[in-house]
């Protein structure tokens, strides 16, 4: 078998060859979906998920090895797998600096968030807000998280559907229901055990396909030195953009500072991650899972960035988007895989199986978490206390998962009309992610914030972020906001095109059509902005409402270094005779 890859696009006559799946690819891809269903059936029938604890936490006896693998699989969603290489292809390798906030985020999770939650013996990250503030704050935060995931899951499922449509010709709206139904089935049947073990199996599909494509790409382009020369000439290695402007798309400050708060919001307090961490029995094992996750996260992120550079090196003189080989820039990577692996039977199927695996793992974890949050916060109090309540709870949560899956399928019709995958994923959910993080930050680090202040702060933060993000997306849809990309070319295409694309420019807008500055803020800063607004408004509102009495704060509800600001308890000396019952006094 000849695996040597040309740097030009495949041709057939006067046009480029449209690359599609073969029967081997379909067989391997179907095998993945079949295995996922079998795991769900196994845990559904032979390891009964007939209680809330078993369905959500696996009885809290999970090993840290499959848990960290499951979490890592969820993090390597199609947004990471497909979105980051696309980001690097069009905007350069600046994304490599996110290794810094990834490291810092994991340190904060391991040494601040997890110890606090574990010592309080929480079953939900939102249970903390009830202990620190009130049930109303917990309900508000749970609602925000539900909205956040409902906005995020459709993006996750849209990614593999987009890739599958590119290589098979099936429509996106035909593909997404199939993927979603498979995921809903094994998640509802098997609970968190099925989620964790299918994630583990799917993870090996994902990393196997990723590293196989990397090796073939490096070999086909003549090694690292040749790749380096091409991407360097194309400006893809200009990594450290020192521009301090908050309007720059991929600046060093935005990628380090902004992404840190994004990770903390989605991973540090996200229920779908906290739930799996808390399914581990020992605190020491939870920290092991966090550090293993961090190491794997850094390796996978670096691999995705390298993949983006390899794809650019392959098509630096004949961009598939400009050559009309793909309809969206997010389809460049799937086309690349079909191109370089067309002589290796089954490899395209493995790649797409890996891409679908990453999406399924994220969706299944989200469905499982959302079902628990919705039940615990909005349904549980309406279910009468009987001997069968636990089994009823598990059944209700399964039906909630089905309903959420149906909503996800419907929302995909909206997602396809927005921007790139990476930008959508980091914009839409920030409407609620920033205010949500702000509530936790206010509770853990600011003991002067009370219940009324937190409610007002969260509500104001949510309103302002909805206005900012909604306005930004409106301007993007109406072509009033454009993000420039690095130059691409069609000069080396093997057949003549009507035009050669060397740069992407936009027609200047009239002054009256220019968006306000707030709508041009980089999406990387949105979560930080939402968090800051929520914390500041919470502090002001609490001061106005007179809720700053630190005597009422339980020291267990704040992080250790904040406890020094709390007043020391005053103990009153009581004479012994005052506490001895009269009948025993002599």
């Amino acid at each position: 078998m000849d695996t040597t890859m040309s740097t030009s696009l495949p041709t057939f006559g006067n046009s480029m060859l449209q690359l599609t799946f073969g029967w081997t690819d379909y067989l391997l891809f179907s095998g993945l979906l079949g295995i996922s269903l079998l795991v769900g059936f196994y845990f559904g029938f032979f390891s009964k998920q007939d209680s809330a604890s078993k369905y959500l936490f696996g009885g809290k006896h999970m090993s840290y090895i499959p848990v960290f693998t499951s979490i890592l699989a969820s993090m390597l969603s199609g947004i990471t797998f497909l979105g980051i290489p696309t980001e690097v292809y069009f905007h350069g390798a600046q994304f490599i600096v996110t290794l810094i906030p990834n490291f810092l985020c994991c340190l904060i999770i391991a040494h601040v968030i997890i110890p606090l939650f574990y010592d309080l013996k929480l079953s939900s990250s939102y249970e903390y807000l009830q202990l620190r503030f009130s049930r109303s704050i917990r309900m508000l935060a749970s609602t925000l998280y539900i909205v956040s995931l409902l906005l995020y899951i459709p993006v996750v499922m849209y990614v593999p559907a987009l890739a599958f449509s590119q290589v098979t010709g099936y429509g996106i709206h035909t593909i997404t229901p199939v993927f979603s139904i498979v995921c809903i089935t094994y998640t509802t049947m098997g609970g968190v055990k099925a989620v964790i073990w299918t994630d583990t199996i799917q993870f090996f599909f994902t990393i196997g396909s990723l590293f196989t494509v990397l090796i073939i790409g490096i070999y086909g382009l003549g090694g690292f030195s040749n790749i380096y020369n091409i991407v360097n000439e194309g400006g893809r290695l200009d990594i450290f953009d020192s521009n301090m402007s908050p309007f720059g798309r991929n600046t060093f400050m935005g990628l380090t500072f902004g992404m840190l708060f994004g990770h903390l919001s989605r991973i540090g307090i996200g229920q779908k991650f906290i739930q799996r961490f808390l399914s581990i029995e020992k605190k020491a094992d939870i920290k092991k899972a966090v550090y293993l996750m961090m190491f794997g996260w850094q390796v996978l992120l670096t691999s995705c960035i390298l993949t983006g550079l390899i794809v650019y090196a392959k098509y630096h003189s004949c961009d598939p988007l400009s050559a009309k080989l793909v309809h969206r820039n997010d389809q460049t990577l799937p086309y690349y895989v079909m191109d370089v692996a067309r002589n290796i039977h089954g490899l395209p199927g493995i790649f797409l199986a890996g891409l679908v695996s990453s999406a399924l793992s994220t969706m299944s974890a989200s469905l499982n978490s959302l079902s628990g949050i919705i039940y615990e916060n909005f349904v549980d109090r309406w279910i009468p206390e009987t001997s069968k309540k636990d089994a009823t709870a598990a059944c209700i949560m399964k039906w909630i998962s089905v309903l959420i899956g149906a909503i996800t399928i419907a929302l995909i019709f909206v997602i396809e009309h927005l921007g790139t995958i990476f930008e959508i994923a980091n914009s839409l959910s920030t409407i609620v992610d920033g205010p949500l993080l702000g509530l936790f930050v206010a509770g853990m680090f600011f003991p002067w914030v009370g219940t009324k202040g937190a409610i007002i702060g969260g509500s104001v933060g949510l309103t302002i972020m909805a206005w900012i993000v909604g306005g930004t997306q409106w301007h993007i849809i109406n072509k009033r906001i454009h993000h420039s990309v690095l130059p691409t070319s069609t000069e080396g295409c093997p057949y003549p095109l009507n035009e050669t694309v060397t740069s992407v420019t936009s027609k200047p807008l009239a002054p009256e059509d220019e968006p306000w500055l707030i709508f041009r803020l980089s999406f990387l800063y949105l979560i930080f902005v939402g968090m800051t607004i929520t914390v500041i408004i919470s502090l002001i509102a609490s001061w106005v409402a007179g809720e700053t009495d630190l005597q009422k704060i339980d020291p267990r509800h704040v992080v250790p270094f904040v406890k020094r600001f709390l007043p020391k308890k005053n103990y009153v000396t009581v004479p012994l005779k005052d506490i001895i019952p009269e009948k025993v006094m002599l």
Side-chain angles (χ1 to χ4, degrees):
M1 180 187 306
D2 182 11
T3 58
T4 302
M5 304 298 165
S6 168
T7 57
S8 63
L9 294 176
T11 61
F12 184 78
N14 292 325
S15 63
M16 296 183 184
L17 179 63
Q18 297 296 324
L19 304 170
T20 57
F21 257 26
W23 69 268
T24 309
D25 303 308
Y26 280 111
L27 184 63
L28 289 170
F29 182 78
S30 301
L32 166 72
L33 299 183
I35 291 172
S36 300
L37 286 172
L38 285 175
V39 171
F41 286 137
Y42 172 79
F43 285 109
F45 288 106
F46 299 103
S47 180
K48 293 290 187 181
Q49 307 300 300
D50 53 1
S51 71
S53 177
K54 290 181 180 180
Y55 186 76
L56 294 176
F57 298 100
K60 293 207 172 189
H61 296 294
M62 297 298 299
S63 168
Y64 69 90
I65 297 295
V67 169
F68 110 81
T69 306
S70 172
I71 292 174
L72 194 59
S74 295
M75 295 170 68
L76 186 65
S77 67
I79 294 167
T80 305
F81 201 3
L82 190 59
I84 291 179
T86 301
E87 186 76 7
V88 172
Y89 182 94
F90 287 100
H91 297 278
Q94 296 98 328
F95 207 81
I96 192 70
V97 302
T98 59
L99 296 179
I100 299 172
N102 294 355
F103 174 75
L104 295 176
C105 175
C106 290
L107 288 181
I108 294 172
I109 292 173
H111 296 283
V112 178
I113 297 175
I114 289 298
L116 181 65
F117 286 178
Y118 184 89
D119 292 342
L120 290 174
K121 301 186 184 304
L122 304 180
S123 60
S124 163
S125 55
Y126 304 105
E127 187 179 350
Y128 164 77
L129 294 177
Q130 180 172 346
L131 294 176
R132 172 64 176 84
F133 296 115
S134 66
R135 180 173 176 81
S136 60
I137 297 293
R138 176 179 179 174
M139 299 286 284
L140 173 63
S142 299
T143 302
L144 293 180
Y145 187 68
I146 291 168
V147 173
S148 176
L149 276 188
L150 285 177
L151 292 173
Y152 187 75
I153 298 174
V155 183
V156 170
M157 294 309 296
Y158 178 67
V159 173
L162 190 68
F164 198 87
S165 175
Q166 167 67 17
V167 301
T168 63
Y170 291 106
I172 291 175
H173 301 136
T174 302
I175 298 167
T176 47
V178 175
F179 292 164
S180 300
I181 289 171
V182 170
C183 185
I184 293 167
T185 301
Y186 74 74
T187 302
T188 54
M189 292 188 67
V192 75
K193 287 186 175 180
V195 169
I196 289 176
W197 283 108
T198 51
D199 284 356
T200 303
I201 295 170
Q202 292 163 357
F203 178 70
F204 289 107
F205 271 90
T206 304
I207 61 172
S209 62
L210 176 61
F211 288 120
T212 302
V213 170
L214 271 176
I215 293 170
I216 292 175
I218 294 170
Y219 173 72
L221 290 167
F224 282 107
S225 60
N226 191 36
I227 294 171
Y228 174 83
N229 291 332
I230 295 173
V231 298
N232 190 42
E233 290 177 4
R236 264 62 183 177
L237 295 182
D238 297 333
I239 295 174
F240 297 102
D241 185 349
S242 59
N243 182 8
M244 300 296 290
S245 170
F247 308 108
R249 192 176 190 277
N250 281 352
T251 63
F252 179 82
M253 179 60 70
L255 288 169
T256 51
F257 185 75
M259 290 296 285
L260 173 61
F261 291 96
H263 293 330
L264 287 174
S265 177
R266 296 184 179 115
I267 302 171
I269 61 170
Q271 176 63 13
K272 68 178 181 180
F273 295 101
I274 293 299
Q275 177 180 326
R276 280 177 284 181
F277 281 133
L278 295 179
S279 69
I280 302 173
E281 186 174 4
K282 298 179 180 178
K283 186 193 296 185
D285 286 345
I286 297 179
K287 290 186 176 181
K288 291 178 184 177
V290 174
Y291 283 116
L292 287 171
M293 177 197 74
M294 177 183 67
F295 175 76
W297 190 11
Q298 304 290 54
V299 171
L300 291 172
L301 181 61
T302 304
S303 300
C304 289
I305 292 169
L306 181 57
T307 299
L309 294 176
I310 291 173
V311 175
Y312 173 76
K314 173 75 173 177
Y315 300 132
H316 69 281
S317 62
C318 190
D319 174 40
L321 181 63
S322 303
K324 310 301 182 185
L325 262 295
V326 297
H327 303 293
R328 289 177 56 101
N329 52 17
D330 297 309
Q331 293 177 317
T332 304
L333 179 59
Y335 184 87
Y336 165 80
V337 174
M338 297 299 297
D339 184 2
V340 300
R342 63 188 185 277
N343 295 325
I344 305 176
H345 297 295
L347 183 56
I350 294 175
F351 166 79
L352 196 56
L355 184 60
V356 173
S357 295
S358 63
L360 293 178
S361 63
T362 303
M363 183 179 182
S364 61
S366 301
L367 291 176
N368 189 257
S369 297
L370 281 178
S371 63
I373 292 172
I374 293 173
Y375 177 81
E376 290 176 359
N377 291 282
F378 302 102
V379 180
D380 180 63
R381 54 182 172 171
W382 303 106
I383 305 299
E385 293 290 341
T386 64
S387 59
K388 296 182 179 180
K389 180 178 180 179
D390 218 19
T392 302
C395 182
I396 292 174
M397 284 187 280
K398 293 178 180 181
W399 281 108
I400 293 173
S401 296
V402 174
L403 177 61
I404 296 170
I407 295 173
T408 297
I409 296 172
L411 287 176
I412 292 175
F413 287 85
V414 178
I415 295 297
E416 65 177 329
H417 297 292
L418 303 180
T420 65
I421 289 170
F422 181 74
E423 192 168 352
I424 295 170
N426 286 278
S427 296
L428 287 183
S429 60
T430 55
I431 295 174
V432 295
D433 286 347
L436 189 57
L437 179 61
L439 291 175
F440 280 91
V441 170
M444 295 178 183
F445 296 93
F446 295 92
W448 304 275
V449 175
T451 300
K452 295 178 181 177
I455 291 177
I456 295 172
S459 300
V460 172
L462 179 64
T463 302
I464 294 177
M465 291 311 298
W467 173 65
I468 293 174
V469 176
T472 301
Q473 289 299 321
W474 184 87
H475 285 296
I476 290 175
I477 292 172
N478 288 277
K479 312 299 182 183
R480 292 186 173 186
I481 294 179
H482 304 274
H483 296 294
S484 61
V485 300
L486 294 175
T488 57
S489 175
T490 56
E491 292 179 353
C493 290
Y495 69 93
L497 296 174
N498 292 330
E499 60 181 37
T500 298
V501 180
T502 55
S503 63
V504 177
T505 58
S506 302
K507 183 179 178 180
L509 293 173
E512 62 272 15
D513 293 331
E514 285 283 349
W516 290 357
L517 285 178
I518 192 66
F519 297 130
R520 286 184 275 169
L521 184 70
S522 171
F523 64 88
L524 296 172
Y525 289 100
L526 291 177
I527 289 180
F528 172 74
V529 170
M531 178 202 74
T532 303
I533 292 172
T534 300
V535 172
I536 291 175
I537 297 299
S538 296
L539 284 167
I540 294 174
S542 294
W543 178 74
V544 172
E547 292 184 312
T548 56
D549 185 4
L550 300 185
Q551 293 283 355
K552 299 179 180 180
I553 302 299
D554 189 331
R556 298 175 302 164
H557 297 164
V558 296
V559 295
F561 70 84
V562 175
K563 293 178 183 179
R564 68 184 67 180
F565 298 104
L566 299 180
K568 295 182 179 179
K569 300 294 184 182
N570 295 321
Y571 297 95
V572 179
T573 302
V574 180
L576 184 62
K577 65 179 182 179
D578 292 341
I579 61 175
I580 299 178
E582 293 182 0
K583 64 181 180 181
V584 299
M585 294 182 63
L586 298 176

